[in-house]
Amino acid sequence: MSTVAAQPVPGTVDPRTARKITLAGCVGIFAELYDNGIFGFMAGTLAVVFFPGSENAVQLVFLGYAVSFFFRPLGGIICGHLGDRIGRQRMLVFVILLISVATAAIGLLPTYAAIGVAAPVLLILLRVAQGFSVGGEASGAMSFLAEHAPAGKRGLYTSYAQIASFLSLLTGTLIAAGMTSGLGSERMESWGWRIPFLLAVPLGITGIYIRKRISDTPNFTRLREAGGLSKNPLKEAFSSAEHRRAMLLALFIPLMNGSGYYVLFSYMPTFMSSELDFSKVQGLLVTASSLVAICLAIPYMGRLSDRVGRKKVIAGAAIAMAVVGIPCYLLIGTGNVALAVVGACLMAVVFAGHTGVIHILLVELFPTRVRYSAYGLGYNVSAALFGGTAPLLMTYLIDTTGDIHMPAYYAVLTALGTLIAVSRVEDRAHLPLRDA
């Protein structure tokens, strides 16, 4: 079996090898994030299948969605510790295997009608396994790509991974929309809902095959050969005031992910069909349009951050989101599909300045010795507190207040939080990655 050899020389690998590594990493990320995202896109159907007759069925599905996020820090801790001790590549193979099995198992679950309350319990347990896996994916995959990237192009190369993640969401959206439209609600709720989850099998096999054929990063390999690996990376991170501060920043800088990734994309189809006068298919297609827009914008933001720095790009995106968030949601709330597309796409382009740059900024906060562990803990705690809970929080607040503009307020609030946090960062865009 052929492998892509790690480079023993200081610095990063040559551009040709970096492109191969990036392609391999993105295919794995696509499979991982498809498995994670399809749960949110199928929330309306899952509510009928696993919580029939309940007035709060959608909230219960999003409760399961939220609960899984509280296992992401655990995944980040365990996978991060092992990733800093035995290597990034091995853990990236493990996490994609875990989420593929868990996602396919959801597609095989008996329904509530067949086994009663055991069905939603099993659904949530498998969702927990998904959350654990994703906790080890983000920091591991982004560290892996950044440590392979050519000098001066870390922002661009890691932004490709974000394109892969949003393409996976786009794929999930189109599959959900196509199947809902083609099969109709009755057949979708009877058996069609299983198909998007069972697609995890071929996707997972492809991702595992590709990830097993790549070697570990030059940074990790160099550190291991020099005997410089940390025996307890997380303990080392907490023992350093510099690393503790960086982990705190890694918790608050991603605040915009709550209103962007988890509300604008994952929650949007359900929001549009349950709270606005859109059909399920219309809601999914509006989301698909915004996903196309963000995929086109992300590489430009990544490249821009290589030129002017991560801090300026993220701060600019936060300011823009605070300005356009409410007007864009007002466009979506008109009930007109064309205006909803305009509002969602504008927010998507603005959000690209955050999501296309956030991960490389966090990678650069930490040295190789503790990067996977410390970055993973800070980012996954943020995702648990402000991301995975966002759909549930929006559903609850809208039901409680009757105000359908709650997602707009959340967009402005999280943008301001990100702006404050990123102002405290030392930008390392034009400095080499540190090993220790």
Side-chain angles (χ1 to χ4, degrees), residues 43-115:
T45 302
L46 293 177
V48 175
V49 173
F50 288 94
F51 302 96
S54 172
E55 294 181 357
N56 301 313
V58 173
Q59 286 191 32
L60 290 172
V61 171
F62 280 124
L63 176 62
Y65 187 84
V67 166
S68 72
F69 276 77
F70 288 94
F71 287 83
R72 283 183 59 164
L74 180 62
I77 290 171
I78 294 176
C79 295
H81 175 84
L82 294 173
D84 282 332
R85 292 287 300 134
I86 67 174
R88 285 79 162 104
Q89 184 263 353
R90 292 184 185 180
M91 293 315 302
L92 291 177
V93 171
F94 166 74
V95 294
I96 197 171
L97 173 63
L98 175 61
I99 200 169
S100 298
V101 170
T103 305
I106 290 176
L108 296 172
L109 278 180
T111 65
Y112 185 93
I115 61 172

Side-chain angles (χ1 to χ4, degrees), residues 52-277:
S54 172
E55 294 181 357
N56 301 313
V58 173
Q59 286 191 32
L60 290 172
V61 171
F62 280 124
L63 176 62
Y65 187 84
V67 166
S68 72
F69 276 77
F70 288 94
F71 287 83
R72 283 183 59 164
L74 180 62
I77 290 171
I78 294 176
C79 295
H81 175 84
L82 294 173
D84 282 332
R85 292 287 300 134
I86 67 174
R88 285 79 162 104
Q89 184 263 353
R90 292 184 185 180
M91 293 315 302
L92 291 177
V93 171
F94 166 74
V95 294
I96 197 171
L97 173 63
L98 175 61
I99 200 169
S100 298
V101 170
T103 305
I106 290 176
L108 296 172
L109 278 180
T111 65
Y112 185 93
I115 61 172
V117 73
V121 170
L122 290 172
L123 176 69
I124 292 175
L125 287 175
L126 290 171
R127 179 62 194 165
V128 164
Q130 287 182 316
F132 180 95
S133 174
V134 176
E137 171 70 23
S139 53
M142 294 301 178
S143 296
F144 189 84
L145 292 177
E147 291 171 9
H148 273 293
K153 294 185 177 180
R154 291 196 301 262
L156 176 61
Y157 274 66
T158 53
S159 76
Y160 294 145
Q162 287 300 86
I163 297 174
S165 73
F166 284 101
L167 282 176
S168 72
L169 292 183
L170 176 60
T171 301
T173 303
L174 294 177
I175 289 173
M179 292 190 63
T180 302
S181 177
L183 295 178
S185 296
E186 185 176 341
R187 282 182 290 182
M188 196 67 181
E189 292 163 9
S190 174
W191 54 268
W193 65 271
R194 299 181 183 278
I195 296 175
F197 292 98
L198 293 176
L199 287 175
V201 175
L203 285 174
I205 291 172
T206 302
I208 291 167
Y209 174 77
I210 291 175
R211 283 186 169 180
K212 285 179 70 69
R213 293 173 62 85
I214 54 179
S215 297
D216 229 312
T217 72
N219 299 66
F220 180 84
T221 302
R222 185 169 59 247
L223 197 63
R224 180 179 57 197
E225 291 174 350
L229 298 178
S230 175
K231 294 182 179 179
N232 192 329
L234 202 57
K235 181 179 179 181
E236 181 177 324
F238 274 107
S239 68
S240 163
E242 178 189 359
H243 297 338
R244 289 197 300 271
R245 181 177 183 275
M247 283 190 287
L248 196 62
L249 290 171
L251 192 153
F252 287 107
I253 294 173
L255 273 171
M256 267 180 69
N257 271 348
S259 59
Y261 196 96
Y262 299 106
V263 173
L264 181 58
F265 299 109
S266 293
Y267 173 62
M268 184 59 72
T270 302
F271 169 70
M272 293 183 69
S273 62
S274 62
E275 306 297 341
L276 305 175
D277 294 325

